[in-house]
């Protein structure tokens, strides 16, 4: 059966390959618009099967995933001006070629750089200017910038400002913001997308639109609906957050066993109810100790204040953890980002490294939202399952606070009031082979299935920035797309489809999980 599936897949790819416009034809199109097409990265044509995957690619749902089956891009363009992006879009339309827009390359399923249809990549790496206005307490950020570059620029400009977004420095701003953007100060200041006040979007016709000219519906869709469905966001204007000059961080690790399970179980009741300035997440993983695998839970925390305020708060709300002043470290906000990346003490310039990746090249991730505490025995079962794998991971991040104060219809991101925390599941491996991939993906799916009774339902929620093609793929039908779309967006999915129908009625900007147009 596998051989038959492989033959059918290769036949399908062969049909696509025969209709791929050669790179010379695309370059010729660019030349009709500009005398000399610059900033092109050509890919050799020895094979259309894109098996030499990028660092952040991840497995898909089927027997052969996009990492194994994607065509090679006809060209990767690295524009240095917005006019070059326009030329690339217009030539792609003319030649019937899809566009993949690459900000940081961290899409969990590779949808920013992989495709089964002929495509080009518009890599925004050269468009990453950041302009900070402390008077307004805002920043304009080009979409090619990374979170690390943004945080570094903020830290060099002010000691009391931050931006509410994620902790991975090499993640691109463009994709992160447009998918929501969870982070360590979200309980106080909301998601990254909650703090967007303007944007500049290039549409399918090459027009540049701002918040006023695109209209409030399109602006709404960009802030959590996945901007790649609607055009190319050139830059974002965001509101900066005020933070103390000194914040407090701590790590508390606990080995597997009944006491660990009790702590995680207790954390579920208080994580989303704590002071909005306090963020405590739980990380469950395993490690090799003395030749044996041991599961542990690590509580990792940020408090927007000093140790003197944190300890009484912890003694009152989470005394079971036994936190002491000597377990805590005071630092600047930018240093807390280093702390959460296990890079304390390293130069801040580390934040500028765009190539930070997992040591393991391949991974499969899934996500959930939890609305009531999971029974304690569930963590016992998770521990047993984690002992089966080398590099499993579960990250439990508390919600509540500012996130719950915002209506689920104020932006496409709907997982607000009623959700106490989200879960990111991940398993990693190093061997780029189908059998290895299937082994780990099967394990992940079994864990996900086991968790079904304990997480959100009707629909079971998922977080767009933890992209998961297991949830479904585009078939061309909006009704079919509801199967996966409502998991990410709940009741906001229909509005996203209507916005798509207005801004991109021909569905030019599309991928395996883009928003289908609705009329």
């Amino acid at each position: 059966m596998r051989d038959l599936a492989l033959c059918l897949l290769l036949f399908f790819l062969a049909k696509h390959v025969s209709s791929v416009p050669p790179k010379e034809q695309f370059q010729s199109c660019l030349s009709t618009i500009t005398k000399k097409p610059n900033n092109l990265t050509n890919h050799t044509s020895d094979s259309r099967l894109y098996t030499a995957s990028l660092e952040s690619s991840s497995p898909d749902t089927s027997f052969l995933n996009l990492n194994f089956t994607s065509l090679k891009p006809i060209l990767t363009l690295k524009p240095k001006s917005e006019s070059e992006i326009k030329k690339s879009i217009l030539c792609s339309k003319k030649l019937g070629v899809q566009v993949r827009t690459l900000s940081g390359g961290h899409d969990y399923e590779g949808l920013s750089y992989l495709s089964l249809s002929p495509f080009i990549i518009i890599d925004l790496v050269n468009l990453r200017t950041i302009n900070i206005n402390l008077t307004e307490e805002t920043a304009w950020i080009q979409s090619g910038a990374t979170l690390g570059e943004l945080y570094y620029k903020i830290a060099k400009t002010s000691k009391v400002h931050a931006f509410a977004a994620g902790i991975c420095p090499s993640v691109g701003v463009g994709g992160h913001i447009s998918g929501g953007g969870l982070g360590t100060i979200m309980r106080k200041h909301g998601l990254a997308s909650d703090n967007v006040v303007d944007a500049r979007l290039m549409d399918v016709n090459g027009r540049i639109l701002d918040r006023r000219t695109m209209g409030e519906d399109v602006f709404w869709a960009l802030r959590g609906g996945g901007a790649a469905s609607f055009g190319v966001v050139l830059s974002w204007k965001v509101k900066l957050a005020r933070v103390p000059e000194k914040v407090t961080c701590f790590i508390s690790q606990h080995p597997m066993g009944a006491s660990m399970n009790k702590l995680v179980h207790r954390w579920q009741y208080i994580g989303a109810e704590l002071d909005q300035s306090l963020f405590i997440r739980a990380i469950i993983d395993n490690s090799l100790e003395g030749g044996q695998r041991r599961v542990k839970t690590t509580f990792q925390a940020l408090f927007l204040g000093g140790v003197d305020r944190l300890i009484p708060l912890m003694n009152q709300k989470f005394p079971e953890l036994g936190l002491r002043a000597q377990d805590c470290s005071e630092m600047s906000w930018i240093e807390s980002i280093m702390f959460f990346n296990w890079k304390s003490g390293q130069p801040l310039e580390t934040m500028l490294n765009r190539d930070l990746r997992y040591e393991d090249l391949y991974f499969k991730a899934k996500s959930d939202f939890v609305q009531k505490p999971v029974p304690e025995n569930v963590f016992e079962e998770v521990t047993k399952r984690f002992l089966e794998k080398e590099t499993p991971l579960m990250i439990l991040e508390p919600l509540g606070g500012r996130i719950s104060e915002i209506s689920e219809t104020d932006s496409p991101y709907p997982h607000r009031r009623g959700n106490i925390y989200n879960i990111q599941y991940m398993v990693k491996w190093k061997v780029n082979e189908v059998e290895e991939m299937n082994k780990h993906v099967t394990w992940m799916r079994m864990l996900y299935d086991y968790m079904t009774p304990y997480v959100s339902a009707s629909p079971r929620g998922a977080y767009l920035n933890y992209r998961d093609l297991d949830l479904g793929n585009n078939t061309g039908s909006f009704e079919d797309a509801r199967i996966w779309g409502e998991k990410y967006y709940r009741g906001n999915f229909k509005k996203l489809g209507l916005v798509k129908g207005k801004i991109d009625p021909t569905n030019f900007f599309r991928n395996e999980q883009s928003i289908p147009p609705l009329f």
Side-chain angles (χ1 to χ4, degrees):
M1 194 65 184
R2 282 188 173 185
D3 291 340
L4 175 60
L6 179 59
C7 289
L8 289 173
L9 180 56
L10 293 177
F11 173 74
F12 169 79
L13 291 176
K15 289 182 66 178
H16 273 273
V17 170
S18 64
S19 61
V20 176
K23 64 187 180 187
E24 292 79 14
Q25 187 177 356
F26 202 95
Q27 290 172 323
S28 176
C29 177
L30 291 174
S31 298
T32 63
I33 305 175
T34 181
K35 291 183 179 180
K36 185 179 180 182
N38 295 322
N39 309 314
L40 306 181
T41 302
N42 298 332
H43 291 260
T44 57
S45 57
D46 56 335
S47 171
R48 291 286 182 180
L49 293 180
Y50 196 42
T51 56
S53 64
L54 301 180
E55 290 89 344
S56 62
S57 55
S58 61
D60 190 350
T61 62
S62 55
F63 168 54
L64 290 178
N65 71 338
L66 280 178
N67 179 51
F68 290 92
T69 61
S70 175
L71 303 180
K72 280 188 176 181
I74 298 167
L75 288 171
T76 295
L77 299 99
K78 298 181 179 180
K80 293 185 177 179
S81 68
E82 294 174 349
S83 62
E84 293 176 32
I85 298 176
K86 178 178 180 178
K87 296 165 190 173
S88 303
I89 290 174
L90 295 180
C91 283
S92 297
K93 282 179 61 180
K94 180 179 179 180
L95 298 175
V97 171
Q98 289 191 18
V99 168
R100 294 289 182 268
T101 305
L102 185 69
S103 177
H106 283 71
D107 186 289
Y108 273 19
E109 297 282 16
L111 299 191
S112 59
Y113 52 83
L114 301 174
S115 175
L116 289 174
S117 300
F119 73 110
I120 65 163
I121 295 174
I122 299 178
D123 186 345
L124 300 176
V125 63
N126 293 321
L127 298 173
R128 57 183 201 264
T129 299
I130 301 166
N131 292 312
I132 294 175
N133 185 328
L134 288 184
T135 303
E136 289 187 351
E137 297 186 297
T138 60
W140 270 107
I141 316 153
Q142 285 189 302
S143 289
T146 63
L147 292 179
E149 291 167 343
L150 172 60
Y151 294 165
Y152 183 84
K153 184 70 175 284
I154 293 173
K156 289 297 183 180
T157 307
S158 170
K159 294 181 179 180
V160 294
H161 287 90
F163 180 57
I167 61 168
C168 180
S170 59
V171 165
V173 165
H176 183 72
I177 293 177
S178 77
L182 305 176
T184 57
I185 61 174
M186 63 183 175
R187 301 191 63 252
K188 178 74 171 180
H189 296 286
L191 308 180
S193 57
D194 295 333
N195 290 281
V196 175
V197 295
D198 204 346
R200 298 177 68 251
L201 173 75
M202 184 172 290
D203 72 4
V204 65
N205 297 311
R207 298 179 302 166
I208 297 178
L209 309 171
D210 62 11
R211 179 174 182 173
R212 181 183 62 83
T213 54
M214 75 176 70
E216 286 300 309
D217 281 353
V218 176
F219 180 67
W220 173 89
L222 299 181
R223 296 179 299 113
S229 292
F230 307 100
V232 177
V233 174
L234 305 171
S235 54
W236 304 86
K237 185 179 183 181
V238 301
K239 179 174 59 178
L240 300 181
R242 284 244 175 183
V243 293
E245 282 196 39
K246 290 294 181 182
V247 302
T248 304
C249 292
F250 70 79
I251 288 174
S252 180
Q253 292 189 334
H254 303 268
M256 65 180 182
S259 60
M260 181 194 89
N261 296 334
K262 288 184 183 298
L263 282 174
V264 179
H265 186 251
R266 175 59 185 154
W267 169 87
Q268 296 180 100
Y269 288 88
I270 56 96
E273 302 297 330
L274 292 168
D275 186 296
Q276 293 185 6
S277 296
L278 179 55
F279 171 89
I280 306 175
R281 69 175 184 172
I283 304 170
I284 305 174
D285 65 358
N286 71 18
S287 58
L288 197 61
E289 299 176 10
Q292 287 189 321
R293 298 220 159 267
R294 304 277 184 187
V295 176
K296 68 179 184 301
T297 293
T298 302
F299 293 96
Q300 196 176 30
L302 166 68
F303 177 62
L304 298 175
V307 177
D308 57 333
R309 287 180 52 211
L310 174 60
I311 295 301
L313 181 60
M314 290 294 293
N315 287 339
Q316 179 186 5
K317 299 294 185 178
F318 199 8
E320 297 87 349
L321 200 62
L323 187 70
R324 304 166 301 171
Q326 56 264 42
D327 301 323
C328 305
S329 300
E330 291 188 341
M331 62 190 74
S332 65
W333 165 76
I334 189 69
E335 289 170 334
S336 78
I337 299 295
M338 302 287 286
F339 177 90
F340 270 77
N341 280 277
W342 313 96
K343 295 184 182 296
S344 294
Q346 295 189 23
L348 290 185
E349 284 68 26
T350 304
M351 303 282 287
L352 303 177
N353 183 355
R354 297 178 65 95
D355 297 321
L356 288 175
R357 292 292 192 273
Y358 294 109
E359 292 179 5
D360 309 80
L361 297 185
Y362 312 104
F363 66 89
K364 175 62 183 176
K366 300 179 83 65
S367 62
D368 264 321
F369 288 87
V370 178
Q371 297 177 335
K372 59 182 181 179
V374 170
E376 190 174 322
N377 66 294
V378 170
F379 297 108
E380 296 176 13
E381 177 63 24
V382 167
T383 296
K384 293 176 184 176
R385 290 171 182 256
F386 269 41
L387 291 172
E388 300 171 0
K389 303 302 289 183
E390 293 181 9
T391 51
L393 181 68
M394 279 176 66
I395 302 177
L396 288 56
E397 295 189 316
L399 301 174
R402 178 61 183 151
I403 298 170
S404 295
E405 295 171 355
I406 299 172
S407 167
E408 68 175 48
T409 60
D410 276 3
S411 76
Y413 176 91
H415 312 290
R416 298 188 182 271
R417 183 178 298 276
N419 294 282
I420 57 175
Y421 64 93
N422 72 283
I423 303 176
Q424 179 180 189
Y425 312 89
M426 186 176 289
V427 64
K428 298 178 282 183
W429 66 95
K430 296 182 178 180
V431 180
N432 187 22
E433 294 178 355
V434 174
E435 288 188 4
E436 190 74 7
M437 177 193 74
N438 280 341
K439 179 175 68 174
H440 290 86
V441 171
T442 298
W443 181 88
M444 172 61 75
R445 289 173 178 164
M446 291 175 66
L447 175 62
Y448 185 75
D449 288 345
Y450 169 75
M451 292 295 294
T452 302
Y454 311 110
V455 298
S456 62
S458 301
R460 184 175 185 172
Y463 175 41
L464 181 63
N465 279 352
Y466 301 154
R467 175 95 63 186
D468 182 7
L469 288 179
D470 278 358
L471 304 180
N473 291 272
N474 271 326
T475 64
S477 162
F478 186 85
E479 286 304 313
D480 289 347
R482 284 183 184 273
I483 296 170
W484 56 265
E486 292 184 353
K487 295 178 186 297
Y488 290 134
Y489 309 111
R490 296 182 63 85
N492 295 326
F493 187 58
K494 182 177 180 180
K495 183 177 178 180
L496 286 168
L498 292 170
V499 173
K500 171 73 168 181
K502 292 178 182 178
I503 192 72
D504 183 20
T506 62
N507 200 24
F508 172 73
F509 291 105
R510 64 188 186 275
N511 59 46
E512 284 70 17
Q513 275 189 353
S514 57
I515 305 295
L518 182 63
F519 305 99

